[in-house]
Amino acid sequence: MNHQPHILPFEQKVQAFISESHLLSSNAHVMVALSGGADSVALLHVLLALGYRCEAAHCNFHLRGEESNRDEAFVRRLCTALHVPLHVRHFDVPAYMEAHGVSMEMACRDLRYEWFHRLVASQSCDALAVAHHQNDDVETFFLNALRASGIAGLSGMPVKNGIVVRPLLCVNRSEVLDYLKDKHQDFVTDSSNQINDVKRNKLRNVVLPTVEAQFPGALSQLQSTISHLRSCHALYAEMVAHIKNQCCRQDADALLIDYNHLFGFANSTTLLFEILKPYGFNHAQCSDILKAAAGTYGVGKHFYSSSFTLTINRHQLQVFVNKVKLQSAYAINLNHNEIKIPLHLIIQKVNQSEFDVKQCDGKHVIALSNDVLNAGNTVIRKWKHADRFQPFGMKGSKLVSDLFTDLKLSEQQKADTWILEADGKILWVIGCRASNLYRVSPADSTFLLLSMCK
């Protein structure tokens, strides 16, 4: 990196942050994610001013009509003026959403970062620089708090995550705009950011300005809180790693965990969750696992994530890759007494006169009319973002994604959720809520009782 003799205060601040956080070496070759908005334009300018060798990557998602093409044209002109090599990629977002069953926001994120990582490798770059700043960090803190996130989520955005670096996390939006004004540099504005139809936009445009107006300096204080939490999380992660080394060992086929060692800690469930999180197990499962391990009849019980099986042995938990790779959908037969894949269900034909309605909680146990046996195509499948159903007891319909929000499910819990569907209609969001379809009436002398086994 060639040190510049006259750099602006903004550039000095970013330079100090890069050095303190060990984000980039002095001669780093950096790929800059460049949308054309104020933040990414400022990022490119400051890295060039500090002497880094930069290339730029621009995604055209074609989601805003002519505005998307305007952004691309602006970025091309900017990179030509700054003599920066530019890479542009066009994406078919609706096709990706349909193929993967994800939201538009998630589709764009997946497509963007998958390409960025390949581009960094192909161009032999040292890092991918993205333009998140302090305001973005505070928004992320609030979003994660609303999702009932743990300390990792409340720590905001990582300053460095693999090849991804965030050199602007030391500055706020106002500083970015002032810097561009000093540089006499224009930028483009994404009109969709002004539409309050997603949570981040509502926070950015409504909630946080109100907080700042009522409590001047609040955003700065929140950023300090995030910084403290980031330090706490680093210490927390270090302690978890230390304990993990004491109670876990990896053999050729499985992770082995001495669960008796975990019982010595006050928050053993949280500790087990941190150990098992990379294997797809959620916090509720970890609580059930430890309860079973402490009980008389826990030995031999199995618990499942999307890719792993956990078995309770004497004094030990054994975690291994599922022997059967899970698909996204399975045709099933409700005439059978038991279904084991993709999850374990027991199916009983129950006599109405002997049935106690308290047996059904609508989450883990549901009742269905025998008419469901006449359905032409019954499947258990992964949920999709556009899924909608009529929850039991409700007149209207509801998006499954909204149900997840109401239940405050984590991303992993959502990913692990399955749907019971008959002839294209949802009967049960398994583990969460039954639908109104095929509900049992007083006229049904017998019906089916479906129970979810842990």
Side-chain angles (χ1 to χ4, degrees):
M1 181 179 74
N2 298 318
H3 292 281
Q4 305 300 312
H6 302 293
I7 62 175
L8 297 171
F10 179 92
E11 294 162 351
Q12 292 175 340
K13 189 173 184 179
V14 174
Q15 184 180 46
F17 182 71
I18 290 173
S19 177
E20 292 164 4
S21 304
H22 308 289
L23 295 186
L24 299 168
S25 62
S26 59
N27 60 347
H29 179 195
V30 186
M31 184 67 68
V32 179
L34 184 64
S35 68
D39 306 333
S40 64
V41 171
L43 175 63
L44 179 61
H45 265 286
V46 73
L47 291 180
L48 290 172
L50 295 177
Y52 291 102
R53 182 160 65 101
C54 296
E55 298 187 34
H58 177 76
C59 301
N60 190 334
F61 294 114
H62 295 282
L63 295 174
R64 292 177 285 116
E66 193 52 41
E67 193 175 283
S68 294
N69 296 327
R70 176 211 65 182
D71 294 355
E72 180 184 329
F74 171 83
V75 165
R76 289 187 182 279
R77 291 194 301 272
L78 177 66
C79 288
T80 298
L82 297 176
H83 307 290
V84 171
L86 173 66
H87 308 269
V88 176
R89 182 71 181 268
H90 296 256
F91 294 100
D92 186 345
V93 177
Y96 187 91
M97 292 170 62
E98 177 66 25
H100 295 82
V102 296
S103 67
M104 182 181 295
E105 184 180 18
M106 188 60 69
C108 291
R109 187 188 186 286
D110 290 349
L111 289 167
R112 179 167 62 241
Y113 278 99
E114 181 185 357
W115 178 54
F116 285 162
H117 278 76
R118 285 192 279 110
L119 190 58
V120 165
S122 68
Q123 300 304 308
S124 301
C125 293
D126 299 301
L128 169 70
V130 294
H132 297 122
H133 49 65
Q134 290 181 347
N135 296 62
D136 298 311
D137 212 14
V138 171
E139 290 165 12
T140 300
F141 168 85
F142 270 92
L143 286 171
N144 288 336
L146 292 170
R147 294 175 183 138
S149 174
I151 189 173
L154 297 180
S155 300
M157 297 176 170
V159 175
K160 185 173 185 178
N161 186 15
I163 64 167
V164 179
V165 296
R166 295 182 169 88
L168 298 187
L169 279 184
C170 60
V171 296
N172 59 41
R173 173 75 172 179
S174 295
E175 291 175 286
V176 167
L177 295 177
D178 289 343
Y179 174 62
L180 291 177
K181 186 177 180 180
D182 290 340
K183 300 284 286 189
H184 305 289
Q185 174 64 61
D186 60 345
F187 52 89
V188 294
T189 301
D190 183 344
S191 61
S192 66
N193 288 336
Q194 305 306 313
I195 303 172
N196 298 327
D197 60 344
V198 295
K199 290 180 180 178
R200 186 175 286 274
N201 284 1
K202 290 176 184 176
L203 278 169
R204 178 178 300 159
N205 301 327
V206 181
V207 177
L208 294 181
T210 302
V211 170
E212 184 66 24
Q214 295 297 319
F215 304 95
L219 298 189
S220 176
Q221 290 294 90
L222 283 166
Q223 186 58 47
S224 296
T225 298
I226 293 169
S227 180
H228 294 323
L229 284 168
R230 195 172 283 139
S231 297
C232 291
H233 179 249
L235 178 60
Y236 171 80
E238 186 177 330
M239 293 176 68
V240 169
H242 177 70
I243 296 168
K244 183 177 178 180
N245 286 336
Q246 293 179 327
C247 67
C248 301
R249 66 182 178 88
Q250 185 76 46
D251 70 6
D253 302 312
L255 173 70
L256 304 176
I257 306 168
D258 176 2
Y259 59 77
N260 288 315
H261 187 82
L262 300 180
F263 288 135
F265 295 90
N267 296 302
S268 55
T269 298
T270 298
L271 183 54
L272 181 61
F273 171 65
E274 292 295 340
I275 293 171
L276 293 180
K277 186 165 53 174
Y279 300 88
F281 293 91
N282 60 49
H283 199 278
Q285 285 178 301
C286 292
S287 176
D288 292 339
I289 288 166
L290 288 179
K291 286 177 184 175
T296 308
Y297 303 105
V299 174
K301 288 198 73 172
H302 302 291
F303 295 81
Y304 304 93
S305 71
S306 58
S307 302
F308 291 87
T309 296
L310 181 147
T311 300
I312 300 176
N313 297 326
R314 293 190 182 280
H315 311 299
Q316 207 172 61
L317 306 178
Q318 182 181 31
V319 185
F320 52 89
V321 176
N322 291 337
K323 294 182 172 60
V324 179
K325 184 174 177 59
L326 294 180
Q327 304 165 184
S328 59
Y330 293 82
I332 63 166
N333 188 342
L334 292 178
N335 280 301
H336 291 169
N337 295 326
E338 190 175 23
I339 295 167
K340 291 190 174 181
I341 295 176
L343 69 173
H344 194 182
L345 298 179
I346 300 296
I347 305 171
Q348 301 169 273
K349 187 164 263 190
V350 178
N351 190 306
Q352 177 99 263
S353 63
E354 300 173 353
F355 174 68
D356 181 356
V357 71
K358 293 179 181 177
Q359 290 179 254
C360 289
D361 61 7
K363 295 180 179 181
H364 304 96
V365 183
I366 68 165
L368 296 174
S369 164
N370 288 332
D371 292 341
V372 73
L373 299 175
N374 298 322
N377 184 32
T378 305
V379 300
I380 293 177
R381 63 166 175 82
K382 283 293 186 182
W383 77 283
K384 299 176 183 177
H385 196 269
D387 278 337
R388 181 178 288 275
F389 78 122
Q390 184 181 6
F392 188 87
M394 283 183 59
K395 291 183 178 179
S397 64
K398 188 183 189 78
L399 283 168
V400 170
S401 58
D402 287 343
L403 172 67
F404 291 161
T405 299
D406 294 343
L407 296 175
K408 298 181 180 179
L409 298 192
S410 68
E411 291 303 314
Q412 185 58 55
Q413 287 172 314
K414 295 176 190 177
D416 290 339
T417 300
W418 294 84
I419 298 287
L420 175 62
E421 179 182 88
D423 291 337
K425 296 181 179 179
I426 294 175
L427 310 185
W428 187 14
V429 183
I430 301 175
C432 298
R433 189 78 179 263
S435 83
N436 258 330
L437 295 177
Y438 294 104
R439 62 187 300 168
V440 178
S441 73
D444 293 321
S445 59
T446 62
F447 54 87
L448 299 182
L449 194 67
L450 277 65
S451 303
M452 180 183 176
C453 298
K454 294 181 179 179

